[in-house]
Amino acid sequence: MQVLKKILVSIAMAASMAAVSSSAFAAEGDAKVKAAAENAIIKIEEAVSIVEKGGDKAEVIKAINDARQIQKDFRYEVTERQREKANTKLKVARDAFESGDFQPAEAKLREALASYQEMKAIYDSNHK
């Protein structure tokens, strides 16, 4: 009987530790996803601002590249396909800036920004 009690206590302790640690991991994951969404939007807004001010195209391309790297951590199942499409818009915008087609590039950049803002709003509404 003593052995059975020890086994049950051990199982209960292991289960409670697993429940606590999975909650901690979920909270950490949510924070990482939210930060990625916010930082990607900030970088895209930075790129738009540089374009509006007539800044150097290398700075715009760097901001776009930074946004594309950051957005990789913005993984949310509901918006995954939209994230992929927005990333493609960033790539098209970067390529257009590199080739000197500034107006279509700026338009794609603004489309990507709107898409990321929409995705973040969806994420935030589901993670209150």
Side-chain angles (χ1 to χ4, degrees):
M1 196 63 162
Q2 289 287 66
V3 173
L4 184 59
K5 278 185 179 180
K6 288 180 182 180
I7 291 172
L8 288 175
V9 169
S10 296
I11 291 172
M13 288 177 60
S16 67
M17 287 175 48
V20 170
S21 65
S22 65
S23 297
F25 284 128
E28 183 180 313
D30 287 345
K32 184 178 179 181
V33 171
K34 188 170 184 150
E38 291 169 353
N39 292 332
I41 289 170
I42 288 169
K43 282 297 183 179
I44 297 169
E45 287 173 340
E46 179 183 323
V48 169
S49 175
I50 294 168
V51 170
E52 288 174 345
K53 294 176 184 174
D56 184 35
K57 89 175 176 180
E59 291 177 36
V60 175
I61 292 169
K62 181 179 181 337
I64 291 171
N65 286 338
D66 290 347
R68 290 191 67 222
Q69 288 300 314
I70 293 167
Q71 64 85 34
K72 290 178 182 178
D73 289 331
F74 182 40
R75 297 291 185 171
Y76 181 51
E77 185 177 321
V78 176
T79 61
E80 184 61 23
R81 182 67 186 129
Q82 185 178 1
R83 186 192 65 80
E84 291 170 358
K85 288 180 180 180
N87 186 42
T88 300
K89 289 176 186 175
L90 285 175
K91 185 178 177 188
V92 168
R94 184 196 61 201
D95 293 344
F97 275 114
E98 286 176 345
S99 66
D101 297 331
F102 296 113
Q103 287 201 326
E106 184 179 357
K108 284 293 180 191
L109 198 55
R110 289 182 187 278
E111 288 176 25
L113 176 60
S115 189
Y116 278 104
Q117 289 171 333
E118 180 183 341
M119 286 186 288
K120 184 180 179 309
I122 292 168
Y123 181 83
D124 288 344
S125 71
N126 290 322
H127 292 85
K128 292 181 181 177

